[in-house]
Amino acid sequence: MTRLEFLPQAESDLETIGDYIAQDNPRRAMTFVRELRRQCRKITEAPQAYRPRPELGKGLRSCAYGNYLVFFFEEPGLVRIVRVLHGAMDLEAQFAEKNRS
């Protein structure tokens, strides 16, 4: 069974998403973040089925869920969730920031 790991930035992204949605609907914020986490667990079942994103990082893949994209790396027996971002964001800028740090 493939393990799932959330990197700190991905955890922060989920918290930010939840906080944003909670401004209008606290209950939906909780359920939506749970749905995103469930989708991340689903990725572990067939990580190679998701879109490669070489323009954002070597070995990076993404999975769409609603208006959001889950970005991850796959290693033998492990899927690492690195970011969860809204699809309207400047994705290249988000990953360029990470690469500068």
Side-chain angles (χ1 to χ4, degrees):
M1 182 172 185
T2 302
R3 286 182 344 164
L4 177 64
E5 178 181 298
F6 289 86
L7 295 184
Q9 185 61 57
E11 290 286 1
S12 178
D13 292 340
L14 290 171
E15 186 174 327
T16 300
I17 291 164
D19 289 348
Y20 179 77
I21 295 170
Q23 293 173 17
D24 293 324
N25 190 337
R27 181 171 291 159
R28 180 61 183 138
M30 289 181 0
T31 61
F32 188 71
V33 170
R34 270 198 301 265
E35 289 172 18
L36 281 169
R37 287 184 180 277
R38 195 168 23 251
Q39 182 63 38
C40 291
R41 283 191 296 277
K42 186 176 176 187
I43 290 169
T44 66
E45 296 170 12
Q48 292 292 313
Y50 296 94
R51 179 180 172 192
R53 301 302 296 255
E55 75 280 11
L56 299 175
K58 183 177 177 174
L60 190 67
R61 291 181 174 273
S62 70
C63 168
Y65 186 81
N67 292 327
Y68 290 86
L69 294 167
V70 177
F71 294 93
F72 65 94
F73 290 107
E74 178 199 12
E75 299 173 20
L78 175 66
V79 168
R80 291 181 196 269
I81 307 297
V82 294
R83 298 296 310 261
V84 182
L85 300 171
H86 193 281
M89 294 179 86
D90 181 345
L91 301 175
E92 289 183 11
Q94 292 294 317
F95 282 91
E97 278 181 26
K98 181 181 184 287
N99 292 335
R100 273 189 245 120
S101 336

